[in-house]
Amino acid sequence: MNRSQTCRAAVVLGGLVLAVTSAHADLPAGWSVYPFAGRIHEIEPAGGVLACATDGGLLLFDPETQTFAPPIADAGCSNGDCLASNHLSAVSRDGNGNYWLGTAESGVVVFRPRSSGKRFGRFFALSSTPGGNLLADSVTCIEAWRTQAVYVGTSQGVAQIDVAGAVESYNQEAVRRLGQDLKGNRINDLTADSLFVWVATDSGVSRYTRQPPYTVEFLADSLSGQQAFTLKTFAGVVHAGTSTGVFTWQPATHAWRRILNFNDTPATPTPAFVVRSLVRRADGKIFAGSNGTVWFYNNFVWGQLAPSAPFALNDREFQTMVATGDTAWTCQQNADGEGAYLDQAVLTRAPIWQRYEANGSPPSEVQALDLASDGTLWIGTRLGGVGRLGTDGRWCSFDSNDPVVRANMTDATGHVRALVVGADGRAWFHALPNTGDSKAVDILLPGAGCDHTHDVWAHVQHGDHRFDGRYWRAARDADGNLFFLSDGDAGLEPDHGGIDVASSDLGRFVSIAPDTLGGSAVGALAFDSESAPWTQ
């Protein structure tokens, strides 16, 4: 479950584990990076796979085997032959089989999977590479036109990259700027055909000729004053998703026409809804991703057809949709960065939704981590519960999106501050409660694989064995005894804090009070002996 827009990754060297905010750095030999596969901003169905531009890199999904490949994320490199950023905003595949990737703030990257030489090329606003310039580095959309050109929607306007064989170069003459050539303040999407480049902005739709002199025309008509969120060309017809519904361009009348219900009347008007993404099947039926739901047009009327929302996903939007045959694919997400999986709609007599989640670390800030004796890595996150990286390289998340986990985890939202793994492989974790609130310490023995129905939960309730502090750190000694360190906030027990200790088997407990320590806040703990503190 995605609960943060900030990109996070776990970095491991042998038995040492660090949490980093980004993998954008040269890594010394011996390090491994475990990125997450975050929100899917755009899906490109090409080359037999679904290429997904995510907050955690390029993610490839094989619909036939229903499996994800490891994300192609930025792990740092010294020669520029890697992604410029793992925070991707858009993806498009050209006629040569290369993927063009827009990033949130690092320009454009072309990924050449078939190349035996340099597999990545970069385009920035300020670039010393010949032909590698760009209008702006914040990319909102990207569209490759066959093997000839790539159009890049940025915060400053639309840029063009010309493709001639294996050589790509920035075309300064073709630039079309926001506020100067194109009406609006933000470019939301674009599409291209043999004659025009069509651009959707927060003021409507403009188009300009693909060839010099690149003449621009603002297409107001019935879209005047409306935001256009997406543009798609289906069967030679340009479709616009707007703040009130879906419109098609009518060349004969030089006007937009809204797709209405067949029985649209003033008494029973077609519902108005925001359209953030569009896909059309071969039979003419249309999916429209909206706010909170998906709309479906069956060639007669509009109706709602959306997957169920995960428990913790609020204010969801469907910003990307594609189709492969009769199957539609989307990703539900929100402005807080939540949403990290593919939703598939198989249109049988009763449409069936299936969810696929990529293997990756929970996409939230890493607050705590620990290694179990068998080499399993556990992480505690700010808003995503806990995650476990098994020795087989598979991640498993324990968060509120699974009903079994939600029913057993004390903090259902998934706040985790202190985390430690016992000698028996059980993970102990605690949410740092607000002042005056109480929280239990949760103890989790995971089931085989990632089947949460086989998880075994236990709890040390607030007040049991004098466990009544606010724990922000936890540690384990050589004999498996667990130490929980309080942050010193008064909480419910003003006279308590310090350190609370439990044996791994829950057989013995002890509290080391603040008056013994000289203070109630304990920030760190080290062990200078391997002998146990427990004596008979």
Side-chain angles (χ1 to χ4, degrees), residues 380-394:
T381 69
R382 186 178 69 89
L383 284 172
V386 295
R388 180 192 61 172
L389 176 63
T391 54
D392 60 355
R394 300 291 301 176

Side-chain angles (χ1 to χ4, degrees), residues 350-361:
I352 301 172
W353 285 94
Q354 176 71 43
R355 183 167 301 150
Y356 300 93
E357 189 165 1
N359 178 43
S361 60

Side-chain angles (χ1 to χ4, degrees), residues 41 52 88 107 207 221 252 303 364 372 391 409 415 426 433 451 482 520:
H41 294 281
C52 305
L88 304 183
R207 71 178 183 182
D221 186 58
S364 183
T391 54
M409 191 165 52
H415 298 87
R426 292 190 294 180
D451 184 356
L482 309 174
S520 60

Side-chain angles (χ1 to χ4, degrees), residues 81-146:
D81 198 19
C82 60
L83 293 182
S85 167
N86 58 357
H87 191 179
L88 304 183
S89 56
V91 56
S92 184
R93 187 173 184 266
D94 67 21
N96 295 317
N98 301 323
Y99 292 97
W100 291 84
L101 309 171
T103 72
E105 54 189 15
S106 300
V108 169
V109 178
V110 54
F111 170 52
R112 310 178 184 96
R114 301 172 182 172
S115 174
S116 58
K118 196 174 180 68
R119 303 187 70 181
F120 294 86
R122 302 185 180 191
F123 293 80
F124 293 92
L126 297 175
S127 176
S128 59
T129 304
N133 206 359
L134 194 66
L135 183 61
D137 290 334
S138 178
V139 178
T140 57
C141 52
I142 197 163
E143 177 85 0
W145 170 250
R146 300 179 180 176

